[in-house]
Amino acid sequence: MGEPAIISVRDVHKVFNGHTDRAVTALQDINLDIGPGEFVSLLGPSGCGKSTLLRVLADLTSPSQGEVTVNGKTPRAARADRDYGMVFQQAGLFDWRSVQRNVELPLQVAGAPKDQRRAKALEMLELVRLGEFAKHFPWQLSGGMQQRVAIARALSADPSILFMDEPLGALDEMNRERLQGELLRIWTDVRTTVVFVTHSISEAVFLSSRVVVMSARPGRIAASIDVDLPYPRVAETRTTPEFFAKVKEVRQVLHAAESEQAPA
Amino acid sequence: MTVTNIPATPGAAAPRDGARPPGGKSAAGGRPSGERARAARGRLANAFGVVLVIALLAGIWEGYKALGQALGDRIPLIGLGFPVSTDDLSMPHLSSIIGALGEPASSGDSVSLGMYLVGETTVTLREALYGLTAGALLGLALAVLFLHVAPVSRGLMPWLVASQTVPLVAIAPMIVIWAGKADAPAWIAVAAIAAYLAFFPVTINTLRGLKSPPATQLEFMRSVGAGRRQTLLWLRLPAALPFLFAGLRLAATASVVGAIVGELSAGTGRGIGRSILTFAYYYSNGPEKLYAAVLIAALTGIVFVQALAVAERLALRNRPTR
Ligand SMILES: Nc1ncnc2c1ncn2[C@@H]1O[C@H](COP(=O)(O)OP(=O)(O)O)[C@@H](O)[C@H]1O
Ligand SMILES: [Mg+2]
């Protein structure tokens, strides 16, 4: 990748409960560069440190060692400038706010005037195809719709990066595949850089331009695999031999990394 | 009769994934109309229940009295006396209690007892309302303070708990004396006593509410660069609202009790507490007057709590039904 990295991680370690006998090395020797416009998935078994790495990037936790830059700044500065938007596994919408006012929230924090907020929120809701639900309340929506609202909310302050931690993890398979398609459509529309945490191989391959495979105990990057399937990817992409081949390749790397770690 | 069926906390957010498909025809932002009708039916059923309970209590009162009169206040075979004798002095007929409300408050008076008691009740309600307002504000401020300054919370909380275990009859005269020394009018002392009882449940419940948002929501606020103040204003306080109301309901009943007890200690000339004391003093001259005053005092508490319930329904109208 010739372009300058929008996210760069240098020699990052993260130890939880250091100085105690319950110390856990969640991340070890992490080095990672992500270029603008990439869709990178962090893939690995549960507990391998995917969320921790994402949270380090998002300044929701700080690394024990190492350097991280996001948009050429410290993660803290990037967070304060709303350079990234965040989507969690739980939509976490606020029950007492309408869908529209939920989407406005990042702009409200930024101090944007009311009419500007409203216009932007409606635009984002159109983007996730929920324009007609602006006046509804989150608890009136299905889980998949709530997650789309969460995506609209994450994008409303025009971040250049989108961090997503298993955002589709709580959905059933049907909804999940539909939302994967939606997500790619949105991504081609807004062209943000995406860092996407998942433990699903096929989800990672279908969505990403690159899959970063992690292994557990301690959490490390085992491999980085480019996914050269052309965009736009559609439902039929999942049935192509190229897709199957990629899934197979990633699976082999993942399993090789695991057996190397844990002699089970 | 008690209407204070108050859970300490509103239950944790129920899972509602995909439970409510949005009906296209629902009013803007409101609930689907079927749900609204169901809520209205529920309220009607509640009202019916209240009437039923009142009728039942009245029936028990009069039934017990009739039975006692018929048996000469003695349980047959066992020969034990009735715990409360049923003569008209101890247990006036409900009709004479209600009837007393229409008669002059005292002989030669132009004001009926009912009107008089309503007037006194207004005085008490005002004291209670001042006390509740002051107590709620103090309670809220303490909750926010405790949330943000953990050492204060650890240091002060035991004292607050202790303050609530000291009997009111010991505290009330002290507050009255302090207020007197400060040349404050008596109603201030009464309101202060009401506030003293009101702030505690507000603090405890609100603090729980402020801590109730799940990690995802708190981290979301952090991810958009929200500071403490914004997180408090837009996440923690709205999330605490149902908890605040649970606390306020406890505080409302407590503030009425505080105001009534306060009136007795402060020696104010007016108020329903004062009336109860007066009518107790002249009990043999008109027992139904005391019962009428107690009845009105009880109704006062109910009205107060109900008014609060209406406010709560309004404030939480857009929340999911639990
Ligand atoms: N706040 C924390 N305190 C202690 N240990 C933690 C904490 N968060 C994560 N860990 C540990 O760090 C490791 C990686 O966790 P996580 O990043 O959540 O994994 P993943 O998201 O890949 O499932 C796990 O062993 C987990 O138990
Ligand atoms: Mg995780």
Side-chain angles (χ1 to χ4, degrees), chain A residues 223-250:
Chain A
S224 168
I225 303 169
D226 288 324
V227 182
D228 33 26
L229 303 169
Y231 293 100
R233 296 174 190 168
V234 289
E236 288 70 42
T237 307
R238 297 178 201 275
T239 57
T240 61
E242 292 81 4
F243 180 77
F244 284 130
K246 207 52 160 182
V247 167
K248 191 174 168 192
E249 181 191 343
V250 172

Side-chain angles (χ1 to χ4, degrees), chain A residues 123-196:
Chain A
E123 183 193 328
M124 287 299 120
L125 284 171
E126 289 300 334
L127 177 70
V128 299
R129 301 203 167 134
L130 285 177
E132 59 196 295
F133 292 97
K135 294 278 181 284
H136 280 69
F137 283 84
W139 41 271
Q140 298 172 316
L141 307 185
S142 71
M145 291 163 99
Q146 289 186 22
Q147 209 52 285
R148 272 147 74 192
V149 175
I151 294 170
R153 178 178 70 170
L155 291 172
S156 70
D158 286 328
S160 46
I161 303 165
L162 190 55
F163 290 140
M164 309 182 93
D165 192 348
E166 303 199 29
L168 312 181
L171 304 181
D172 59 78
E173 192 68 20
M174 303 273 283
N175 260 311
R176 199 171 168 141
E177 290 199 353
R178 191 159 60 220
L179 247 80
Q180 288 168 2
E182 284 283 294
L183 185 56
L184 281 187
R185 182 185 57 75
I186 293 165
W187 176 59
T188 28
D189 232 2
V190 295
R191 279 286 152 208
T192 57
T193 307
V194 179
V195 183
F196 187 98

Side-chain angles (χ1 to χ4, degrees), chain A residues 7-264:
Chain A
I7 293 168
S8 127
V9 182
R10 287 281 161 274
D11 303 321
V12 160
H13 290 244
K14 175 68 182 181
V15 181
F16 286 108
N17 311 316
H19 316 300
T20 72
D21 48 2
R22 292 176 293 114
V24 178
T25 304
L27 296 174
Q28 183 174 323
D29 288 323
I30 302 290
N31 284 284
L32 182 65
D33 282 304
I34 296 174
E38 273 197 275
F39 194 125
V40 172
S41 283
L42 304 179
L43 176 70
S46 161
C48 72
K50 308 180 294 291
S51 295
T52 304
L53 178 52
L54 195 72
R55 292 162 54 79
V56 165
L57 301 181
D59 187 43
L60 296 177
T61 187
S62 45
S64 311
Q65 269 179 56
E67 258 325 287
V68 178
T69 53
V70 174
N71 246 1
K73 314 167 191 175
T74 63
R76 170 157 304 226
R79 176 170 66 80
D81 291 348
R82 281 167 289 277
D83 283 351
Y84 71 80
M86 185 111 194
V87 181
F88 302 88
Q89 182 167 1
Q90 306 300 327
L93 302 175
F94 296 1
D95 274 343
W96 51 90
R97 285 181 170 238
S98 69
V99 162
Q100 177 200 320
R101 300 230 312 124
N102 264 286
V103 176
E104 282 181 24
L105 193 61
L107 297 161
Q108 197 175 1
V109 173
K114 195 177 174 117
D115 41 348
Q116 189 185 320
R117 265 172 14 214
R118 177 172 317 159
K120 187 69 194 182
L122 292 177
E123 183 193 328
M124 287 299 120
L125 284 171
E126 289 300 334
L127 177 70
V128 299
R129 301 203 167 134
L130 285 177
E132 59 196 295
F133 292 97
K135 294 278 181 284
H136 280 69
F137 283 84
W139 41 271
Q140 298 172 316
L141 307 185
S142 71
M145 291 163 99
Q146 289 186 22
Q147 209 52 285
R148 272 147 74 192
V149 175
I151 294 170
R153 178 178 70 170
L155 291 172
S156 70
D158 286 328
S160 46
I161 303 165
L162 190 55
F163 290 140
M164 309 182 93
D165 192 348
E166 303 199 29
L168 312 181
L171 304 181
D172 59 78
E173 192 68 20
M174 303 273 283
N175 260 311
R176 199 171 168 141
E177 290 199 353
R178 191 159 60 220
L179 247 80
Q180 288 168 2
E182 284 283 294
L183 185 56
L184 281 187
R185 182 185 57 75
I186 293 165
W187 176 59
T188 28
D189 232 2
V190 295
R191 279 286 152 208
T192 57
T193 307
V194 179
V195 183
F196 187 98
V197 165
T198 180
H199 57 238
S200 158
I201 299 173
S202 64
E203 180 168 86
V205 170
F206 181 72
L207 292 173
S208 325
S209 53
R210 182 153 62 106
V211 178
V212 170
V213 177
M214 296 181 68
S215 60
R217 276 169 295 277
R220 278 192 298 191
I221 292 180
S224 168
I225 303 169
D226 288 324
V227 182
D228 33 26
L229 303 169
Y231 293 100
R233 296 174 190 168
V234 289
E236 288 70 42
T237 307
R238 297 178 201 275
T239 57
T240 61
E242 292 81 4
F243 180 77
F244 284 130
K246 207 52 160 182
V247 167
K248 191 174 168 192
E249 181 191 343
V250 172
R251 180 175 291 127
Q252 277 166 350
V253 172
L254 194 62
H255 288 182
E258 259 193 278
S259 53
E260 204 173 288
Q261 291 303 310

